[in-house]
PDB file of all heavy atoms in Angstrom:
ATOM      1  N   LEU A  51      14.052 -19.297   7.445  1.00  0.00           N
ATOM      2  CA  LEU A  51      12.930 -19.017   8.293  1.00  0.00           C
ATOM      3  C   LEU A  51      12.829 -20.090   9.431  1.00  0.00           C
ATOM      4  O   LEU A  51      12.726 -19.700  10.570  1.00  0.00           O
ATOM      5  CB  LEU A  51      11.569 -18.944   7.511  1.00  0.00           C
ATOM      6  CG  LEU A  51      10.379 -18.841   8.320  1.00  0.00           C
ATOM      7  CD1 LEU A  51      10.283 -17.486   9.111  1.00  0.00           C
ATOM      8  CD2 LEU A  51       9.198 -18.919   7.465  1.00  0.00           C
ATOM      9  N   ALA A  52      12.942 -21.328   9.054  1.00  0.00           N
ATOM     10  CA  ALA A  52      12.980 -22.429  10.118  1.00  0.00           C
ATOM     11  C   ALA A  52      14.154 -22.199  11.090  1.00  0.00           C
ATOM     12  O   ALA A  52      13.747 -22.438  12.337  1.00  0.00           O
ATOM     13  CB  ALA A  52      13.021 -23.755   9.406  1.00  0.00           C
ATOM     14  N   MET A  53      15.229 -21.846  10.652  1.00  0.00           N
ATOM     15  CA  MET A  53      16.342 -21.675  11.598  1.00  0.00           C
ATOM     16  C   MET A  53      16.007 -20.422  12.521  1.00  0.00           C
ATOM     17  O   MET A  53      16.362 -20.485  13.671  1.00  0.00           O
ATOM     18  CB  MET A  53      17.738 -21.383  10.867  1.00  0.00           C
ATOM     19  CG  MET A  53      18.185 -22.609  10.189  1.00  0.00           C
ATOM     20  SD  MET A  53      19.852 -22.483   9.516  1.00  0.00           S
ATOM     21  CE  MET A  53      19.708 -21.142   8.345  1.00  0.00           C
ATOM     22  N   LYS A  54      15.515 -19.425  12.032  1.00  0.00           N
ATOM     23  CA  LYS A  54      15.047 -18.283  12.821  1.00  0.00           C
ATOM     24  C   LYS A  54      14.070 -18.643  13.777  1.00  0.00           C
ATOM     25  O   LYS A  54      14.111 -18.235  14.969  1.00  0.00           O
ATOM     26  CB  LYS A  54      14.547 -17.091  11.891  1.00  0.00           C
ATOM     27  CG  LYS A  54      14.143 -15.895  12.646  1.00  0.00           C
ATOM     28  CD  LYS A  54      15.293 -15.173  13.321  1.00  0.00           C
ATOM     29  CE  LYS A  54      14.889 -13.880  14.035  1.00  0.00           C
ATOM     30  NZ  LYS A  54      15.951 -13.448  14.875  1.00  0.00           N
ATOM     31  N   GLN A  55      13.109 -19.500  13.384  1.00  0.00           N
ATOM     32  CA  GLN A  55      12.106 -19.870  14.392  1.00  0.00           C
ATOM     33  C   GLN A  55      12.643 -20.690  15.473  1.00  0.00           C
ATOM     34  O   GLN A  55      12.289 -20.548  16.674  1.00  0.00           O
ATOM     35  CB  GLN A  55      10.924 -20.557  13.620  1.00  0.00           C
ATOM     36  CG  GLN A  55      10.097 -19.731  12.765  1.00  0.00           C
ATOM     37  CD  GLN A  55       9.116 -20.409  11.830  1.00  0.00           C
ATOM     38  OE1 GLN A  55       9.446 -21.474  11.285  1.00  0.00           O
ATOM     39  NE2 GLN A  55       7.934 -19.895  11.698  1.00  0.00           N
ATOM     40  N   VAL A  56      13.469 -21.593  15.111  1.00  0.00           N
ATOM     41  CA  VAL A  56      14.178 -22.418  16.142  1.00  0.00           C
ATOM     42  C   VAL A  56      14.986 -21.586  17.098  1.00  0.00           C
ATOM     43  O   VAL A  56      15.053 -21.786  18.283  1.00  0.00           O
ATOM     44  CB  VAL A  56      14.997 -23.622  15.474  1.00  0.00           C
ATOM     45  CG1 VAL A  56      16.014 -24.279  16.436  1.00  0.00           C
ATOM     46  CG2 VAL A  56      14.178 -24.542  14.792  1.00  0.00           C
ATOM     47  N   SER A  57      15.665 -20.607  16.472  1.00  0.00           N
ATOM     48  CA  SER A  57      16.475 -19.652  17.334  1.00  0.00           C
ATOM     49  C   SER A  57      15.651 -18.983  18.292  1.00  0.00           C
ATOM     50  O   SER A  57      15.924 -18.778  19.532  1.00  0.00           O
ATOM     51  CB  SER A  57      17.238 -18.717  16.464  1.00  0.00           C
ATOM     52  OG  SER A  57      17.850 -17.665  17.211  1.00  0.00           O
ATOM     53  N   MET A  58      14.439 -18.481  17.808  1.00  0.00           N
ATOM     54  CA  MET A  58      13.548 -17.694  18.693  1.00  0.00           C
ATOM     55  C   MET A  58      13.002 -18.613  19.793  1.00  0.00           C
ATOM     56  O   MET A  58      12.897 -18.225  20.892  1.00  0.00           O
ATOM     57  CB  MET A  58      12.384 -17.113  17.874  1.00  0.00           C
ATOM     58  CG  MET A  58      12.827 -15.961  16.963  1.00  0.00           C
ATOM     59  SD  MET A  58      11.506 -15.383  15.915  1.00  0.00           S
ATOM     60  CE  MET A  58      10.295 -14.876  17.139  1.00  0.00           C
ATOM     61  N   LEU A  59      12.728 -19.860  19.396  1.00  0.00           N
ATOM     62  CA  LEU A  59      12.240 -20.796  20.386  1.00  0.00           C
ATOM     63  C   LEU A  59      13.226 -20.973  21.507  1.00  0.00           C
ATOM     64  O   LEU A  59      12.962 -21.069  22.673  1.00  0.00           O
ATOM     65  CB  LEU A  59      11.725 -22.130  19.819  1.00  0.00           C
ATOM     66  CG  LEU A  59      11.165 -23.160  20.653  1.00  0.00           C
ATOM     67  CD1 LEU A  59       9.976 -22.656  21.392  1.00  0.00           C
ATOM     68  CD2 LEU A  59      10.815 -24.452  19.840  1.00  0.00           C
ATOM     69  N   GLY A  60      14.485 -21.251  21.042  1.00  0.00           N
ATOM     70  CA  GLY A  60      15.514 -21.366  21.944  1.00  0.00           C
ATOM     71  C   GLY A  60      15.711 -20.278  22.946  1.00  0.00           C
ATOM     72  O   GLY A  60      15.928 -20.463  24.201  1.00  0.00           O
ATOM     73  N   GLU A  61      15.530 -19.099  22.370  1.00  0.00           N
ATOM     74  CA  GLU A  61      15.640 -17.861  23.314  1.00  0.00           C
ATOM     75  C   GLU A  61      14.453 -17.821  24.294  1.00  0.00           C
ATOM     76  O   GLU A  61      14.630 -17.456  25.495  1.00  0.00           O
ATOM     77  CB  GLU A  61      15.654 -16.583  22.416  1.00  0.00           C
ATOM     78  CG  GLU A  61      16.784 -16.390  21.656  1.00  0.00           C
ATOM     79  CD  GLU A  61      16.714 -15.214  20.536  1.00  0.00           C
ATOM     80  OE1 GLU A  61      15.738 -14.471  20.693  1.00  0.00           O
ATOM     81  OE2 GLU A  61      17.586 -15.071  19.818  1.00  0.00           O
TER      82      GLU A  61
END
Side-chain angles (χ1 to χ4, degrees):
L51 174 62
M53 288 189 301
K54 179 65 176 172
Q55 290 173 320
V56 168
S57 171
M58 288 175 62
L59 181 61
E61 290 171 12

